[in-house]
């Protein structure tokens, strides 16, 4: 069925499956029939939906996937589904769907011998993937493009496509695609009879496959390595590799690769001049080909059958198979297979004493041999030229990177010099400041009121700096992001649907801004005006419950449950608004640093005249260094870290909690173990006029 996705001769079957993996990343847990039936069922259910939209991306992806499953079953069905996917993708401007459809259509075009059209489809798919900067789709277009160029004898162009794909796969650490493409390059060198280079590449592929941990990929490479060993007449190694592959393919029912492996095993026995055994394995492969639309692989298999029958002196069967292979080779422009068929038919007719017919086949054989020989010479030169050009490009890129690094080093040293100058200036300023302080010491002693005023001004400046820092770093960013999204919507740079996709992120930013503003307002009042504490009696259990409800959605987003085990009717004497801020901040922090699917517990116990509230999480915990800084009076900076889902905080909450707990005559402290979680404690009086 497939044409240009398959490399002729010894590497035909591998490429069929390589494209399957590249296209859908499917494994062989189920047979192809099961996959096709499953995909068809999903498609039927989708089309029966009342809200069915043919241009829906899910629908287009299903059409492409089903079309791909028909690669080796029915070429007309492949065209039907892929063409439909292309039309719908074009109407809905779905570029990914268009790319996948073009790859499928190129398969159909190559099968029908329209190689130029197939190349154009693949180049169009690659350029479109390049336009949208989709690295995986670039590889999916480049790999079959290289295979098709190889198939029609343009080995230099094939290598060029492979090298581009290898560069992308290497940059993106895409081991799966890197394995496939490196194997294709190994096949290319094998066709040039550079067996050592080919074998070394196969070993690299095997190492990658072991990293991937997939026995099917390893079996695929092993079957190709076995074929290489057959050509080297190392039949002992060939048997080890091909037998291990056959076991996997039979177990997984991967008939494409199994047919190829049977053929390789037949080739092994044929090279050992054991045609009866070779014929046994060729017949097994031919039986599998009855359900595979893979004429290119079949052409090679028919030639192998013909050669086996010829060695058994069964010239009738030998001629029938050679003629059948020649028909396929002529139709699909398979020069190597056609050459082999004409050679066999020459030998057969010579044995049958049909000199005129034998001479005709011999003449065609010589013409094809000369043509292939010239093409091989050109290909060898082309491959060498392509390799040298690619290596030159890589060296040029390396030199460019080195220039960039050198420029960066210059900037780095300039920055160091600037820092040194700045440090010197700071040192001189500090020295001057110290002298000024000594000079003013006597004056400050005489004017206590002025000293007090200076302290107040310093406090106000510190508050101002902290406020500007928080506003600049933690409010301006989300607000600018929100403004940017709204401007994009206003200027029609994004659609309403795309704007809705930003909605969850925008809501989270707005919630974070709101939470930060509430803390800023509360903290600003305490710092700048000395917020008044108005104590009253209230039930702390109810206050905890209200805060849990308030933060429930945030916790739900991380699949975190919060349990309130504080005693019912636990009345305390404190400022309810300030304690509300304390509980909300501690719960918010617990959610922020808890692992998804964990639990947060809030409980309270009576200790003398105070109620001790504990909020326990099972999160990232804190190192001893961070623990020392959390409530340290010596630490004037705000300790900020990121949560388990990369949530950003201001570091203001805990400072605010400490001030408000202290305002109400209580204490706040924390215990924590790294990677085990933290417990924050604070105490509040049970009745009026109680302090610690």
């Amino acid at each position: 069925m497939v044409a240009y996705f398959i490399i002729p001769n010894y590497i035909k079957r591998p490429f069929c499956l390589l494209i399957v993996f590249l296209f859908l990343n499917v494994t062989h847990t189920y047979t192809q029939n099961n996959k096709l039936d499953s995909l068809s069922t999903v498609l039927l259910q989708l089309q029966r939906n009342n809200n069915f939209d043919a241009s829906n991306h899910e629908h287009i992806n299903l059409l492409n996937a089903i079309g791909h499953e028909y690669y080796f079953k029915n070429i007309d069905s492949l065209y039907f589904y892929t063409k439909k996917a292309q039309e719908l993708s074009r109407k809905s401007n779905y570029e990914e769907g268009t790319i996948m459809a073009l790859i499928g259509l190129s398969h159909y075009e190559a099968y029908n011998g329209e190689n130029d059209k197939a190349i154009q489809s693949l180049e169009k798919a690659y350029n479109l993937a390049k336009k949208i900067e989709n690295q995986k789709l670039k590889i999916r277009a480049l790999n079959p493009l290289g295979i098709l160029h190889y198939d029609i004898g343009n080995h230099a162009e094939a290598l060029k496509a492979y090298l581009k794909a290898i560069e992308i796969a290497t940059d993106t650490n895409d081991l799966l695609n890197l394995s496939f493409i490196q194997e294709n390059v190994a096949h290319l060198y094998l066709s040039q009879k550079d067996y050592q280079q080919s074998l070394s590449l196969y070993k690299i592929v095997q190492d990658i496959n072991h990293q991937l941990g997939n026995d099917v990929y390893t079996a695929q490479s092993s079957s190709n390595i076995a074929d290489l060993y057959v050509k080297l007449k190392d039949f002992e190694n060939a048997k080890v590799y091909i037998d291990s592959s056959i076991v996997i393919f039979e177990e997984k029912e991967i008939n494409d690769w199994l047919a190829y492996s049977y053929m390789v095993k037949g080739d092994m026995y044929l090279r050992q001049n054991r045609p009866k055994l070779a014929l046994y394995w060729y017949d097994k492969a031919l039986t599998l080909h009855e359900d595979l639309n893979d004429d290119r692989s079949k052409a090679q298999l028919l030639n192998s059958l013909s050669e086996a029958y010829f060695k058994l002196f069964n010239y009738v069967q030998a001629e029938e198979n050679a003629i059948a292979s020649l028909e396929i080779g002529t139709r699909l422009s398979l020069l190597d297979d056609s050459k082999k068929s004409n050679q066999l038919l020459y030998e057969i007719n010579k044995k049958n004493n049909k000199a005129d017919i034998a001479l005709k086949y011999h003449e065609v054989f010589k013409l094809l041999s000369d043509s292939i020989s010239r093409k091989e010479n050109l290909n060898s030169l082309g491959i060498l030229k392509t390799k040298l050009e690619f290596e030159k490009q890589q060296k040029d890129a390396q030199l460019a990177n080195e220039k960039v690094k050198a420029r960066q080093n210059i900037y780095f040293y300039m920055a160091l010099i600037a820092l040194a100058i700045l440090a010197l200036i700071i040192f001189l300023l500090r020295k001057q400041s110290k002298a000024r302080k000594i000079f003013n010491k006597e004056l400050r002693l005489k004017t206590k009121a002025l000293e007090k005023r200076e302290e107040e001004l310093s406090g106000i400046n510190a508050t101002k700096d902290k406020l500007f820092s928080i506003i600049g770093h933690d409010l301006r960013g989300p607000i600018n992001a929100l403004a940017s999204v709204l401007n994009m919507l206003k200027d029609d740079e994004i659609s309403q649907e795309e704007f809705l996709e930003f909605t969850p992120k925008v809501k989270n930013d707005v919630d974070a801004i709101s939470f930060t503003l509430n803390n800023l307002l509360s903290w600003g009042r305490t710092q700048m005006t000395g917020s008044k504490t108005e104590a009253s009696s209230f039930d702390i259990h109810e206050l905890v419950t209200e805060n849990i409800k308030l933060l429930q959605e945030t916790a739900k987003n991380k699949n975190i449950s919060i349990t309130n085990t504080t005693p019912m009717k636990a009345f305390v004497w404190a400022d309810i608004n300030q304690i509300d801020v304390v509980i909300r901040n501690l719960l918010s922090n617990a959610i922020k640093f808890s692992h998804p699917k964990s639990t947060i517990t809030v409980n309270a116990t009576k200790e003398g005249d105070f109620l001790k509230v504990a909020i326990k999480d099972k999160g990232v915990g804190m190192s001893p260094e961070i623990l020392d800084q959390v409530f340290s009076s010596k630490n004037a900076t705000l300790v900020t870290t990121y949560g388990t889902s990369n949530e950003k905080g201001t570091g203001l909450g805990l400072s605010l909690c400490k001030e408000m707990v202290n305002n109400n005559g209580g204490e706040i402290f924390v215990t924590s173990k790294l990677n085990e979680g933290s417990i924050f404690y604070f105490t509040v009086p049970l009745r009026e006029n109680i302090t610690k």
Side-chain angles (χ1 to χ4, degrees):
M1 172 179 175
V2 177
Y4 72 102
F5 286 162
I6 311 165
I7 293 297
N9 298 332
Y10 55 90
I11 47 175
K12 290 180 177 179
R13 294 308 316 137
F15 284 103
C16 304
L17 266 292
L18 293 188
I19 299 302
V20 174
F21 287 120
L22 288 174
F23 195 85
L24 293 174
N25 290 328
V26 284
T27 59
H28 289 281
T29 306
Y30 303 102
T31 64
Q32 289 182 347
N33 285 332
N34 287 337
K35 284 185 286 186
L36 182 57
D37 292 342
S38 177
L39 289 170
S40 299
T41 301
V42 174
L43 178 66
L44 186 61
Q45 291 173 348
L46 186 65
Q47 291 174 340
R48 287 178 176 175
N49 194 307
N50 293 332
N51 299 322
F52 171 65
D53 177 9
S55 299
N56 182 277
H57 292 179
E58 181 184 358
H59 178 236
I60 294 172
N61 290 340
L62 274 172
L63 292 173
N64 275 321
I66 292 173
H68 193 272
E69 288 301 317
Y70 277 114
Y71 273 26
F72 304 108
K73 297 181 184 298
N74 189 311
I75 195 68
D76 293 326
S77 295
L78 161 66
Y79 179 79
F80 172 79
Y81 284 101
T82 317
K83 188 66 177 176
K84 194 171 183 180
Q86 184 191 34
E87 292 169 356
L88 292 173
S89 296
R90 188 185 297 118
K91 287 180 182 178
S92 61
N93 293 321
Y94 180 35
E95 291 168 320
E96 287 85 351
T98 300
I99 293 168
M100 292 187 287
L102 283 169
I103 294 172
L105 287 173
S106 70
H107 192 110
Y108 172 83
E109 290 158 353
Y111 178 85
N112 289 307
E114 298 174 322
N115 293 326
D116 290 340
K117 286 182 68 175
I119 289 174
Q120 289 175 7
S121 295
L122 288 169
E123 288 178 342
K124 188 175 180 181
Y126 170 71
N127 289 329
L128 190 55
K130 191 175 179 181
K131 173 187 169 186
I132 64 175
E133 285 300 320
N134 190 313
Q135 305 303 330
K136 283 194 176 292
L137 289 180
K138 283 185 191 177
I139 296 174
R140 290 176 183 174
L142 284 171
N143 193 43
L145 181 61
I147 295 167
L148 181 53
H149 276 303
Y150 180 99
D151 207 21
I152 61 178
N154 296 332
H155 291 186
E157 291 298 321
L159 182 60
K160 191 180 296 183
Y162 292 150
L163 291 175
K164 281 184 185 177
I166 287 172
E167 188 175 17
I168 297 169
T170 303
D171 290 343
T172 57
N173 197 30
D174 188 347
L175 293 181
L176 179 61
N177 284 325
L178 189 60
S179 167
F180 296 150
I181 303 159
Q182 288 279 27
E183 191 156 8
N184 295 352
V185 178
H187 295 320
L188 190 60
Y189 281 108
L190 185 57
S191 71
Q192 299 295 313
K193 296 182 174 58
D194 189 346
Y195 297 128
Q196 293 306 318
Q197 178 72 7
S198 178
L199 187 59
S200 65
L201 286 171
Y202 276 131
K203 296 296 185 183
I204 292 172
V205 172
Q206 285 289 59
D207 290 340
I208 297 174
N209 290 339
H210 286 309
Q211 291 181 54
L212 293 170
N214 188 301
D215 55 354
V216 173
Y217 301 157
T218 302
Q220 293 165 2
S221 299
S222 294
S223 60
N224 285 326
I225 293 173
D227 183 70
L228 188 151
Y229 278 125
V230 168
K231 287 174 173 56
L232 290 172
K233 295 185 179 180
D234 184 349
F235 301 121
E236 184 177 349
N237 273 321
K239 188 174 188 308
V240 171
Y241 277 97
I242 200 62
D243 286 346
S244 65
S245 298
I246 288 173
V247 169
I248 298 297
F249 297 143
E250 286 180 341
E251 178 187 345
K252 305 288 186 180
E253 298 183 18
I254 308 173
N255 291 338
D256 317 61
W257 284 91
L258 190 57
Y260 169 69
S261 299
Y262 286 161
M263 184 174 67
V264 171
K265 191 158 186 177
D267 289 343
M268 181 183 71
Y269 286 120
L270 191 63
R271 298 295 175 272
Q272 292 176 294
N273 202 26
R274 301 167 72 181
K276 286 187 177 180
L277 271 175
L279 196 60
Y280 169 78
W281 292 102
Y282 289 148
D283 284 337
K284 287 172 71 72
L286 189 62
T287 300
L288 292 176
H289 269 281
E290 293 176 0
D291 295 322
L292 298 174
N293 286 311
D294 185 8
D295 284 353
R296 291 178 181 257
S297 295
K298 191 174 182 180
Q300 182 191 359
L301 177 60
L302 290 170
N303 274 334
S304 296
L305 276 164
S306 175
E307 188 174 355
Y309 278 120
F310 183 81
K311 288 189 176 183
L312 290 170
F313 309 106
N314 187 342
Y315 301 133
V316 174
Q317 289 291 334
E319 185 175 22
E320 286 181 2
N321 284 285
I323 290 173
S325 177
L326 182 60
E327 184 276 324
I328 296 173
T330 303
R331 172 165 54 86
L332 298 180
S333 302
L334 306 177
L335 297 184
D336 285 329
D337 291 321
S338 297
K339 170 188 167 185
K340 183 66 176 178
S341 300
N342 279 284
Q343 182 184 17
L344 286 167
L345 288 168
Y346 160 69
E347 297 289 345
I348 293 165
N349 282 282
K350 184 179 177 183
K351 289 291 183 181
N352 287 332
N353 297 316
K354 297 179 181 179
D356 293 340
I357 299 174
L359 182 60
K360 182 183 72 171
Y361 284 120
H362 189 265
E363 288 174 350
V364 177
F365 165 72
K366 287 294 292 179
L367 286 173
L368 289 173
S369 296
D370 293 341
S371 175
I372 291 171
S373 179
R374 286 194 297 272
K375 184 167 284 191
E376 284 178 349
N377 290 334
L378 290 173
N379 280 332
S380 296
L381 291 172
I383 287 174
L384 179 61
K385 183 180 177 183
T386 299
K387 187 177 180 181
L388 291 174
E389 287 177 351
F390 184 75
E391 289 174 352
K392 183 178 181 299
Q393 290 174 0
Q394 285 187 319
K395 287 181 180 178
D396 291 343
Q398 186 177 357
L399 287 173
N401 288 334
E402 288 175 355
K403 288 181 180 179
V404 172
K405 287 181 180 178
R407 195 179 299 114
Q408 289 174 345
N409 288 336
I410 292 172
Y411 294 151
F412 175 73
Y413 291 129
M414 290 176 64
L416 283 179
I417 294 170
L419 285 173
I421 294 171
L422 182 61
L424 179 61
I425 294 171
I426 292 173
F427 172 75
L428 294 174
L429 289 174
R430 285 189 174 180
K431 188 174 181 180
Q432 184 183 15
S433 176
K434 186 176 180 180
R436 188 169 57 250
K437 286 180 181 178
I438 295 171
F439 179 77
N440 292 329
K441 183 176 181 181
E442 187 177 349
L443 181 61
R444 286 198 303 271
L445 290 172
K446 294 179 180 179
T447 55
K448 291 184 179 180
L450 181 61
E451 182 181 352
K452 182 177 180 181
R453 180 60 180 164
E454 186 179 350
E455 290 176 357
E456 290 174 353
L457 288 173
S458 297
I460 292 171
N461 282 332
T463 301
K464 176 200 69 177
D465 291 340
K466 290 180 181 179
L467 287 172
F468 281 146
S469 175
I470 292 166
I471 292 170
H473 290 84
D474 299 281
L475 295 181
R476 184 172 61 185
I479 290 173
N480 286 343
L482 177 59
S484 176
V485 172
L486 293 175
N487 284 332
M488 290 170 67
L489 179 64
K490 174 187 171 186
D491 296 336
D492 292 329
E493 292 181 13
I494 60 173
S495 63
Q496 293 283 350
E497 290 79 9
E498 290 173 327
F499 176 74
L500 290 176
E501 293 178 3
F502 285 102
T503 302
K505 176 66 171 64
V506 170
K507 182 181 182 303
N508 289 338
D509 285 348
V510 171
D511 289 342
I513 292 169
S514 175
F515 195 91
T516 302
L517 283 174
N518 286 335
N519 278 346
L520 278 172
L521 291 172
S522 299
W523 186 66
R525 284 195 298 269
T526 64
Q527 294 294 310
M528 301 181 71
T529 64
S531 178
K532 185 178 180 182
T533 301
E534 297 180 352
S536 63
S537 180
F538 62 92
D539 184 3
I540 204 162
H541 179 87
E542 290 184 1
L543 191 60
V544 170
T545 301
E546 289 174 4
N547 276 283
I548 290 174
K549 290 179 181 179
L550 180 65
L551 297 171
Q552 191 65 45
E553 184 176 354
T554 304
K556 186 178 180 182
N557 289 336
K558 294 180 71 173
N559 201 12
I560 294 172
S561 62
I562 306 175
T563 304
N564 181 7
T565 61
T566 57
M568 302 291 288
K569 305 297 181 184
F571 286 93
V572 295
W573 184 265
D575 188 319
I576 187 170
N577 293 321
Q578 292 184 4
I579 300 303
D580 183 50
V581 171
V582 172
I583 293 172
R584 190 182 319 127
N585 271 280
L586 293 181
L587 277 175
S588 178
N589 275 357
I591 295 170
K592 173 181 173 184
F593 294 105
S594 287
H595 296 295
K597 299 182 181 179
S598 62
T599 302
I600 297 170
T601 305
V602 185
N603 60 34
T605 56
K606 183 180 178 182
E607 287 191 0
D609 293 324
F610 289 82
L611 186 70
K612 184 170 77 171
V613 181
I615 298 178
K616 179 181 181 182
D617 65 69
K618 295 180 180 178
V620 297
M622 289 178 279
S623 65
E625 294 80 9
I626 296 294
L627 202 59
D628 290 340
Q629 298 179 38
V630 173
F631 294 120
S632 173
S633 60
K634 298 178 181 179
N635 183 30
T637 60
L638 300 176
V639 179
T640 64
T641 54
Y642 287 86
T644 56
S645 294
N646 209 30
E647 302 100 326
K648 180 72 169 62
T650 63
L652 178 63
L654 293 179
S655 177
L656 185 60
C657 290
K658 179 180 179 181
E659 290 182 18
M660 291 191 169
V661 169
N662 291 342
N663 287 346
N664 286 275
E667 293 180 343
I668 185 168
F669 54 98
V670 59
T671 62
S672 181
K673 287 186 179 179
L674 197 61
N675 297 321
E676 291 185 17
S678 303
I679 308 176
F680 280 82
Y681 301 94
F682 68 92
T683 60
V684 284
L686 289 169
R687 60 181 185 274
E688 191 174 358
N689 297 326
I690 297 296
T691 59
K692 266 194 179 183

